[in-house]
Amino acid sequence: MDLSLQRLRMLRELRRRGTVTAAAAALHYTASAVSQQLAQLERDVGSSLFERLGRRVQLTDTGLVLADHAEEILGAVERATLALEEAQSSVSVRLTAGVWASVASGLLPAALAALAAEHPGIAVRTRELAPEETAGAVRDGALDFSFVIEYSTYPMTWDPALDRAVIAVERLHAAVPAGAMPAPTVALPDLAEHPWILSGPRSHFGRAVRTACQRAGFEPRVEHEVGEQATALAMVAAGLGVTLVSDLGLALCPPGVDVRAVTEPITRTVSIAHRTGTARRTSLQLVIDAVRTEAAARGLGAQ
């Protein structure tokens, strides 16, 4: 019996997610592709592995046995990769990272350029995801590591299957239309009467900013709900409202936006999340060191 690691990952994800559609989304495949691969896995095994119950699926006894072994097999593959890296005198490996816009544009270009110059054997490819999705993709094995954020006004609940390495600490600043606020600093209540441009309340950023405003005594009047910070800043430049922007996001500010320090500090911590047990990977540590060095060079070091 020849068992494909890719198909075992799909079976493992199917048990975790409960539907083919959710498993496909987590692994960045189409639902039809996952269905075809799972059907092939059933043919390889010679037995039914799952049955449909409405929109959800339930693993059969055989499927549960194979899924349990899939966890062990995939864990062994990861441990073998780690052992090979440690045994080699030079590091040569490819890592896949989860990123989001401001970290991809602000920290990664210089960090990866420095890493490539010193350790050309390490190739890092990136996949842009919403910040809320990156940690789960690492836990599920779709990524080797990802950048994650935690706001001082909205702490994260950490998955025990993940470890994190703190990279940088940023402040949030008020971004207002040019000339709207001449003072160099602004208190959050001063923004209460302005229309806001903000991501949705389910996003980490949207929830953190709303919480900060509520603690300051007001509910922000969100006139434009947008996900990308570059879009929000373009709207600020057009005079459509105000928003908050992080240190890394300042590079995205177009002309027509004034940046003001917020008197009540709001911070966010940028970390690299990776699966527990992979911290000894030489390649991963070299990536972490390179990004930390770039963050420190920008005055955003974790210290």
Side-chain angles (χ1 to χ4, degrees):
M1 185 184 301
D2 186 12
L3 296 177
S4 159
L5 291 178
Q6 180 187 42
R7 291 170 191 149
L8 289 178
R9 286 191 181 92
M10 291 178 177
L11 181 65
R12 179 179 69 176
E13 206 59 40
L14 183 65
R15 177 166 71 170
R16 289 176 174 177
R17 304 286 177 174
T19 69
V20 171
T21 300
L27 295 171
H28 302 282
Y29 288 99
T30 65
S32 62
V34 171
S35 293
Q36 291 171 16
Q37 291 297 314
L38 289 173
Q40 182 59 53
L41 183 60
E42 288 185 314
R43 290 191 289 271
D44 294 339
V45 173
S47 178
S48 175
L49 298 177
F50 60 90
E51 56 187 13
R52 297 187 181 276
L53 300 174
R55 292 185 177 181
R56 300 186 66 81
V57 297
Q58 178 175 298
L59 296 191
T60 63
D61 290 343
T62 302
L64 289 171
V65 169
L66 185 57
D68 286 340
H69 284 284
E71 293 282 2
E72 296 180 16
I73 292 167
L74 295 171
V77 169
E78 188 166 273
R79 291 191 294 274
T81 300
L82 171 60
L84 287 172
E85 279 191 26
E86 292 179 334
Q88 291 172 343
S89 57
S90 61
V91 177
S92 180
V93 68
R94 171 175 287 188
L95 300 174
T96 302
V99 302
W100 21 272
S102 61
V103 76
S105 60
L107 285 180
L108 271 191
L112 293 186
L115 181 70
E118 294 188 24
H119 304 282
I122 301 177
V124 178
R125 58 183 180 181
T126 60
R127 182 179 297 159
E128 186 172 348
L129 299 171
E132 298 75 31
E133 298 175 355
T134 54
V138 175
R139 179 199 60 218
D140 298 337
L143 302 173
D144 294 298
F145 68 93
S146 70
F147 289 87
V148 294
I149 45 179
E150 182 175 32
Y151 291 88
S152 58
T153 56
Y154 179 52
M156 282 182 60
T157 300
W158 282 96
D159 190 320
L162 300 179
D163 287 336
R164 62 172 172 169
V166 176
I167 297 299
V169 177
E170 303 178 82
R171 283 201 176 199
L172 297 188
H173 312 269
V176 302
M181 295 191 167
T185 62
V186 62
L188 278 181
D190 296 336
L191 303 173
E193 300 304 317
H194 291 263
W196 279 73
I197 305 161
L198 199 56
S199 57
R202 291 188 177 183
S203 70
H204 290 168
F205 179 70
R207 188 170 299 180
V209 174
R210 283 172 173 82
T211 300
C213 293
Q214 290 161 3
R215 291 178 181 176
F218 71 98
E219 187 73 38
R221 177 166 53 88
V222 179
E223 295 288 341
H224 302 282
E225 191 171 292
V226 298
E228 293 295 331
Q229 191 153 67
T231 305
L233 291 169
M235 289 184 164
V236 173
L240 300 180
V242 302
T243 192
L244 298 187
V245 59
S246 68
D247 285 315
L248 289 175
L250 293 177
L252 304 174
C253 284
V257 175
D258 286 343
V259 177
R260 298 290 180 255
V262 178
T263 55
E264 308 88 347
I266 306 169
T267 62
R268 74 175 190 178
T269 302
V270 179
S271 302
I272 284 180
H274 56 89
R275 288 180 294 282
T276 301
T278 61
R280 291 186 297 121
R281 291 188 71 174
T282 302
S283 56
L284 177 60
Q285 285 302 319
L286 290 172
V287 171
I288 290 172
D289 290 344
V291 182
R292 276 180 172 162
T293 298
E294 177 60 19
R298 291 172 174 265
L300 304 176
Q303 307 307 319

